[in-house]
Amino acid sequence: MSEASTSLLTTVLFFLLLLSAFFSSSETGMMAINRYRLRHLVKKGHKAALRTSNLLDRPDRLIGVILIGNNFVNILASALATIIAVRLWGEDSGIAIATLGLTVFVLIFGEVTPKTVAAMFPEKVAFPASLVLFPLLKLLYPMVVALNWICGLLLKPFGIRPGEAVQDQLNAEELRTIVTDPGMLLPQKRRGMLLGILDLEKVRVDDIMVPRNEVLGIDIEDDIKDILDQLRDCQHTRVPVFKGDVNNLVGMLHMRKVARLLSEEEVNKAMLLQETTEPYYVPESTPLHTQLFNFQKTKERVALVVDEYGDVMGLVTLEDILEEIVGDFTTDVSDSSQDITPQEDGTYIIDGSASVRDINKILGWSLPTEDARTINGLITEQMEFIPESSVCLKVGIYRLEIMQMQDNRVKSVRMFTADQWKKIRKAKKK
């Protein structure tokens, strides 16, 4: 009789250890599950995800029912282990053996192992567990509510309200971290597009605009023959028309209208001016994401960038902003890549007018872009005076050697990283 009852108690004890493992793994699985993937599955109508989401809406009650079950199982297992150990080894040794043995078994089989598995595979644990926890919460609801009420009273002086669900929110930098995670199942191209969208808030129109000295436009004071030749060779869909200087802007001319005019026998300046439209101006400090919405709102595709005094600084197009998101999609060779000439020793000869942002994108560097737009501007900003040729300077981990000066500006510069500089020095020693 005694042996049979001991065997029965041992079987019950083994079953209680399994229940302890279930409650421990359920707690870890529920808390470790990816909330954003869970929301996605809920939207798709996944039943297990819906049950799990309902349980996680009130984490205080979920934890309450899990801990009630886990503590009840562990305490009952402790009592049974003590009874079994006393019967087998006597009262004096049995209690010590039961305490030590059950501690080891609960830690290994009831806590560490199931929680490790649940942390690695939270969905595979949480979804099946919701089948048990959901009805168990309804069964123990009065006890869980009472327990949460007592806990709420204890936490109230600290300003903590357990009943309030915490909303998971991501800011732009946290979202960027998720997107750049190598474990994301996203192609590199799409990942780059998502990062490009996030970067729109950091970049202003003056960072990507075509600078004023590179804007191709029609000077209405030129000879009409030269103007027509320029229009026939123009590769842009819209060009600014001005008088003498780009600040004296008359309007924007659409090449589709010009094509119709060129079919006429005689074209004069008055006919061209009649086809121009009102120019669209934007401040230099406008963020790209704002300007993208402004283009959409105004149905414009080209904007003239002006500074605080109203002077034209450059020109920005809708295509320029879109290329910041999807990358270059035109068939023309990038002007920025032409400004960078790789050398055999691993260095680069770069034009002084090259954009710092473009260099960072093409070479994968991280030159500062806050205070200067071009390499010439970066050098003068760092040195605080107009340098001479053959001057070298250090910007972060990058080395710059001025190769040529022209009209008080840097014409070309040799650039390389600190690692490349070490390789060059080693090569010279050999």
Side-chain angles (χ1 to χ4, degrees):
M1 181 72 177
S2 177
E3 291 182 2
S5 62
T6 301
S7 299
L8 178 61
L9 290 177
T10 303
T11 304
V12 174
L13 178 60
F14 178 75
F15 179 70
L16 291 175
L17 287 175
L18 291 179
L19 288 179
S20 177
F22 165 76
F23 285 114
S24 298
S25 61
S26 299
E27 179 184 2
T28 302
M30 287 287 181
M31 296 300 112
I33 197 167
N34 188 317
R35 303 298 177 90
Y36 297 98
R37 173 170 168 78
L38 182 64
R39 291 178 188 175
H40 171 68
L41 292 175
V42 169
K43 290 181 179 179
K44 292 178 65 176
H46 195 287
K47 292 183 179 179
L50 184 59
R51 283 195 306 269
T52 304
S53 179
N54 290 335
L55 289 170
L56 288 172
D57 284 342
R58 288 298 302 266
D60 56 328
R61 292 178 181 175
L62 174 61
I63 292 175
V65 71
I66 292 175
L67 293 182
I68 288 174
N70 201 20
N71 281 280
F72 174 78
V73 166
N74 288 340
I75 293 172
L76 182 57
S78 176
L80 292 180
T82 302
I83 294 173
I84 295 171
V86 169
R87 287 184 179 182
L88 294 177
W89 294 285
E91 186 174 347
D92 294 334
S93 302
I95 295 176
I97 293 173
T99 302
L100 181 61
L102 189 63
T103 300
V104 173
F105 272 88
V106 169
L107 279 176
I108 296 175
F109 301 104
E111 293 290 337
V112 177
T113 302
K115 286 189 174 183
T116 301
V117 173
M120 295 176 63
F121 309 101
E123 282 187 21
K124 293 182 179 180
V125 173
F127 288 170
S130 65
L131 286 169
V132 178
L133 295 177
F134 201 78
L136 189 61
L137 177 58
K138 292 184 177 180
L139 180 64
L140 301 177
Y141 188 78
M143 189 183 301
V144 172
V145 171
L147 181 64
N148 292 153
W149 181 76
I150 296 172
C151 293
L153 290 178
L154 296 175
L155 295 174
K156 191 174 182 179
F158 302 98
I160 301 175
R161 300 179 181 275
E164 294 181 355
V166 178
Q167 295 294 328
D168 294 316
Q169 296 180 345
L170 292 176
N171 58 33
E173 293 303 318
E174 291 168 341
L175 184 57
R176 179 190 301 276
T177 301
I178 293 176
V179 173
T180 54
D181 186 354
M184 280 198 69
L185 301 177
L186 276 178
Q188 185 64 33
K189 186 68 175 178
R190 295 183 184 177
R191 191 179 302 176
M193 290 173 63
L194 291 174
L195 292 175
I197 293 173
L198 294 175
D199 284 338
L200 292 184
E201 295 185 1
K202 294 183 176 181
V203 185
R204 310 190 317 178
V205 292
D206 60 343
D207 292 321
I208 69 166
M209 69 180 183
V210 178
R212 173 177 167 176
N213 62 324
E214 297 180 13
V215 173
L216 299 177
I218 302 299
D219 187 351
I220 202 66
E221 294 182 351
D222 289 344
D223 185 76
I224 185 62
K225 184 178 182 301
D226 294 335
I227 293 176
L228 294 178
D229 289 341
Q230 186 178 353
L231 289 173
R232 290 188 180 97
D233 297 334
C234 184
Q235 298 180 354
H236 302 285
T237 56
R238 294 169 177 82
V239 291
V241 179
F242 54 86
K243 289 184 178 180
D245 185 82
V246 71
N247 274 318
N248 298 323
L249 200 64
V250 176
M252 300 296 296
L253 185 62
H254 200 298
M255 295 304 297
R256 184 170 55 192
K257 297 179 179 180
V258 173
R260 180 176 55 82
L261 287 179
L262 293 177
S263 64
E264 302 286 341
E265 293 183 0
E266 292 186 5
V267 180
N268 54 46
K269 295 181 180 181
M271 296 173 66
L272 291 176
L273 292 175
Q274 190 175 358
E275 297 296 338
T276 59
T277 58
E278 188 72 19
Y280 174 46
Y281 297 97
V282 297
E284 60 178 326
S285 59
T286 307
L288 287 194
H289 72 284
T290 301
Q291 188 53 46
L292 182 61
F293 290 129
N294 288 341
F295 274 139
Q296 186 179 25
K297 181 180 178 181
T298 59
K299 307 301 180 185
E300 297 282 352
R301 298 177 66 90
V302 180
L304 278 302
V305 183
V306 296
D307 60 14
E308 57 183 318
Y309 302 105
D311 294 332
V312 175
M313 296 181 60
L315 179 144
V316 65
T317 67
L318 176 61
E319 287 76 11
D320 293 332
I321 300 179
L322 294 179
E323 286 186 353
E324 288 294 311
I325 301 175
V326 302
D328 296 337
F329 52 82
T330 59
T331 56
D332 298 333
V333 179
S334 172
D335 293 336
S336 300
S337 62
Q338 293 178 352
D339 293 336
I340 304 173
T341 306
Q343 304 298 301
E344 293 182 357
D345 58 2
T347 63
Y348 299 91
I349 301 297
I350 300 178
D351 192 275
S353 62
S355 168
V356 177
R357 291 188 69 253
D358 289 340
I359 292 173
N360 286 341
K361 289 170 62 177
I362 294 171
L363 301 182
W365 289 359
S366 55
L367 293 166
T369 58
E370 293 82 8
D371 301 319
R373 182 180 179 274
T374 64
I375 291 298
N376 174 59
L378 177 64
I379 293 175
T380 54
E381 179 69 27
Q382 293 288 326
M383 302 189 70
E384 298 182 347
F385 62 87
I386 298 176
E388 298 178 356
S389 58
S390 301
V391 173
C392 298
L393 68 151
K394 177 182 177 183
V395 180
I397 63 171
Y398 305 100
R399 305 293 191 274
L400 291 81
E401 179 184 354
I402 299 174
M403 304 295 292
Q404 185 180 1
M405 294 290 298
Q406 183 179 0
D407 298 329
N408 293 326
R409 60 178 292 272
V410 176
K411 178 65 176 176
S412 62
V413 60
R414 184 187 187 204
M415 297 184 65
F416 43 91
T417 64
D419 292 337
Q420 291 169 333
W421 172 242
K422 291 179 182 178
K423 292 179 181 179
I424 293 171
R425 293 181 63 183
K426 287 182 180 180
K428 288 182 178 179
K429 289 181 180 180
K430 292 180 181 179

